[in-house]
Amino acid sequence: MQHVVILLGAPGAGKGTQAQRLTEALSLPHISTGDLFRENLSQGTDLGSKAKVFMERGDLVPDELVIDMLFDRVSREDCKSGYLLDGFPRTIAQAESLGARLDGADATIQVVDIQVPDAIITKRITGRWSCPDCNAVYHATFSPPKTAGTCDACSGTLTQRKDDTAQVVVQRLANYHELTAPLAAWYQERGAFCSVDGNTDTDSVFEACLACVQLEAS
Ligand code: ADP
Ligand code: AMP
């Protein structure tokens, strides 16, 4: 049985933060399409250069590029028993492709939608610092590293993402509301779906996400 857990939510809702804990709690690999694109960008691949223009202006990368990249990643051995998706699907077409891929396979999909108001999202994104080496996530005010600018986990140098500006957030949120938010109703009609309040401390959000997955599984 393949166990596929999907974290839905706006950019900055806390999907990556929760995924870093859920990956251990559920023993599932954490697959972030945003991280995969950033790896492609830093390695200078053809895919990275195609994705760059969309990412920098806060638009979604075209479905066919995302789907091919994601399916290639989840075909690997470490995803045999399942995986935890962060940032995929982001459109109905992506959800349909994933559904078609898993249809007929011995797989379950569980969806956890992390809800955070837009005004809070903007504060979270503009204060985010990330580690390019291990992908750990910090916030200048809400969860600062022990030493400013240095990753607690691997001592890497923290950076701010190019798309984490107040200006680009406006476009990312507009795309989220238009293209990604409808996935909540789409999954609600199709099976295991749970919504959690993401506008609280990270421990409480984690407990709520875990309870969701366990509740849906029973
Ligand atoms: P996403 O992966 O959904 O884009 P992140 O997990 O990277 O979101 O979180 C965005 C920013 O908000 C980061 O700076 C992170 O440290 C911070 N953050 C995440 N969860 C919370 C929370 N519950 N309370 C306050 N800040 C949070
Ligand atoms: P994230 O790290 O999840 O915030 O993603 C960063 C950027 O990568 C997004 O703003 C998109 O440009 C692109 N991206 C990541 N995942 C997807 C996806 N599933 N569909 C389309 N674009 C994506």
Side-chain angles (χ1 to χ4, degrees):
M1 166 73 77
Q2 222 184 10
H3 185 191
V4 178
V5 176
I6 296 173
L7 294 182
L8 284 184
K15 301 181 297 297
T17 301
Q18 296 305 327
Q20 286 193 338
R21 297 177 68 171
L22 289 166
T23 190
E24 282 189 29
L26 303 172
S27 298
L28 294 175
H30 169 199
I31 315 287
S32 153
T33 41
D35 286 347
L36 291 175
F37 279 128
R38 281 183 289 277
E39 273 167 38
N40 274 277
L41 271 177
S42 68
Q43 289 163 4
T45 68
D46 187 39
L47 176 62
S49 59
K50 281 184 186 148
K52 187 171 188 260
V53 55
F54 297 97
M55 293 172 78
E56 285 185 351
R57 61 176 190 233
D59 284 333
L60 295 186
V61 176
D63 285 333
E64 60 278 12
L65 295 181
V66 190
I67 291 166
D68 283 354
M69 175 182 74
L70 191 270
F71 286 3
D72 184 52
R73 175 64 188 86
V74 300
S75 305
R76 292 204 215 145
E77 186 64 21
D78 64 334
C79 293
K80 221 172 146 190
S81 308
Y83 41 92
L84 172 62
L85 290 176
D86 157 10
F88 185 97
R90 263 177 154 108
T91 63
I92 301 279
Q94 291 177 18
E96 284 173 344
S97 304
L98 180 66
R101 181 188 170 92
L102 297 176
D103 195 26
D106 188 16
T108 58
I109 298 186
Q110 292 184 300
V111 180
V112 180
D113 187 20
I114 304 177
Q115 287 288 326
V116 176
D118 284 7
I120 304 290
I121 290 292
T122 305
K123 284 190 190 144
R124 286 194 183 178
I125 287 191
T126 52
R128 170 161 57 190
W129 287 82
S130 324
C131 178
D133 299 331
C134 73
N135 295 321
V137 185
Y138 300 88
H139 190 281
T141 321
F142 306 142
S143 58
K146 291 191 183 95
T147 309
T150 303
C151 179
D152 293 350
C154 76
S155 302
T157 302
L158 301 181
T159 55
Q160 276 196 296
R161 282 168 44 179
K162 248 185 161 176
D163 56 345
D164 275 353
T165 62
Q167 216 178 5
V168 180
V169 170
V170 174
Q171 181 66 7
R172 289 165 71 192
L173 275 174
N175 282 320
Y176 165 74
H177 287 294
E178 183 189 343
L179 301 167
T180 308
L183 282 173
W186 195 87
Y187 275 119
Q188 232 164 345
E189 283 167 18
R190 284 167 180 77
F193 174 89
C194 196
S195 176
V196 307
D197 177 9
N199 191 17
T200 174
D201 63 280
T202 50
D203 286 348
S204 305
V205 182
F206 174 65
E207 294 306 327
C209 290
L210 204 55
C212 251
V213 175
Q214 284 159 356
L215 183 79
E216 288 175 1
S218 60

